[in-house]
Amino acid sequence: EVQLVQSGAEVKKPGESLKISCKGSGYSFPSYWIAWVRQMPGKGLEWMGIIYPGDSDTRYSPSFQGQVTISADKSISTAYLQWSSLKASDSAMYYCARHPGSYYNPVDYWGQGTLVTVSS
Amino acid sequence: QSVLTQPPSVSGAPGQRVTISCTGSSSNIGAGYDVHWYQQLPGTAPKLLIYGNSNRPSGVPDRFSGSKSGTSVSLAITGLQAEDEADYYCQSYDSSLSGPVVFGGGTKLTVL
């Protein structure tokens, strides 16, 4: 069974760093693109970027380029989303999502989401 | 402002038919890139509803259908049920600087 299991909720202060994770199982993790999607409270889905764990090829949405870092460790089937200095506006639910084949294709599996709260 | 434009809300009574539009441009839908639809029930992760403009994954009822015309696509839901009340999002590839993958702003479906 394919599963994407994300790390737990986080509460952080502005200026702190954070790295959340998404562990894939039940399939060949290096062979599928993993995307990150943001959903701010009461708002819609925003595609942030994507990584191919097999070779760490990474693409970012222009809105998120330079704001976050996406990485992956194929040896432990885990993708990451990282901030170096959080802002209150980073408070949101973050989903990881699998694109089979290429990012032209739809997401077929989603993680359960990681809620990030940034507050002083 | 989303690259793909959806109506913020639609509503219908049980048993009725509703449609949700998703309008793009020559850098996404108009360029021939496929559109996919997701349903997000309250408090849950999105779920794939339609892929490749008009295809249903296994397990999705045939009450849900998708179509495409020019730079727009539509999601139709027939025989509306209370359990269909959710947010619906379209998604496509975009070849402009907005891409590579973009979502519509989402549509809240209310079953009256």
Side-chain angles (χ1 to χ4, degrees):
Chain A
E1 178 195 7
V2 173
Q3 284 192 306
L4 296 174
V5 178
Q6 298 185 227
S7 49
E10 301 274 1
V11 179
K12 292 288 190 179
K13 290 182 165 46
E16 292 186 331
S17 63
L18 176 63
K19 192 173 190 178
I20 63 175
S21 66
C22 168
K23 182 172 177 62
S25 62
Y27 73 99
S28 175
F29 184 79
S31 304
Y32 289 77
W33 293 85
I34 293 288
W36 287 94
V37 177
R38 182 174 79 173
Q39 187 165 38
M40 299 178 76
K43 301 298 184 183
L45 305 174
E46 299 174 271
W47 195 90
M48 302 174 70
I50 197 167
I51 188 165
Y52 188 75
D55 61 7
S56 293
D57 185 8
T58 308
R59 315 287 168 87
Y60 293 92
S61 165
S63 301
F64 293 94
Q65 179 83 48
Q67 308 305 307
V68 296
T69 301
I70 294 172
S71 60
D73 184 342
K74 63 183 179 183
S75 70
I76 55 172
S77 300
T78 302
Y80 302 97
L81 178 64
Q82 183 174 2
W83 295 261
S84 59
S85 180
L86 286 161
K87 303 184 284 287
S89 56
D90 292 318
S91 295
M93 180 71 82
Y94 292 88
Y95 294 101
C96 63
R98 191 183 85 159
H99 283 265
S102 91
Y103 46 80
Y104 294 88
N105 295 328
V107 170
D108 59 355
Y109 287 92
W110 296 77
Q112 83 277 18
T114 296
L115 183 63
V116 173
T117 303
V118 183
S119 174
S120 54
Chain B
Q1 186 171 349
S2 302
V3 172
L4 302 178
T5 302
Q6 298 180 233
S9 63
V10 298
S11 63
Q16 285 190 330
R17 178 181 187 268
V18 297
T19 61
I20 299 172
S21 61
C22 173
T23 301
S25 67
S26 58
S27 63
N28 42 68
I29 301 173
Y33 296 114
D34 283 345
V35 176
H36 319 298
W37 289 93
Y38 301 89
Q39 177 193 59
Q40 187 178 32
L41 298 169
T44 69
K47 167 194 162 186
L48 181 63
L49 201 61
I50 297 287
Y51 67 94
N53 304 317
S54 59
N55 302 290
R56 280 187 310 276
S58 61
V60 173
D62 60 7
R63 301 187 296 105
F64 295 90
S65 63
S67 62
K68 178 180 177 181
S69 177
T71 57
S72 293
V73 294
S74 292
L75 172 69
I77 310 172
T78 57
L80 209 54
Q81 300 179 3
E83 67 205 50
D84 299 332
E85 187 159 295
D87 294 319
Y88 293 83
Y89 296 91
C90 58
Q91 179 204 44
S92 184
Y93 176 85
D94 188 282
S95 60
S96 75
L97 294 178
S98 300
V101 177
V102 290
F103 283 103
T107 299
K108 169 68 176 176
L109 168 62
T110 300
V111 180
L112 301 171

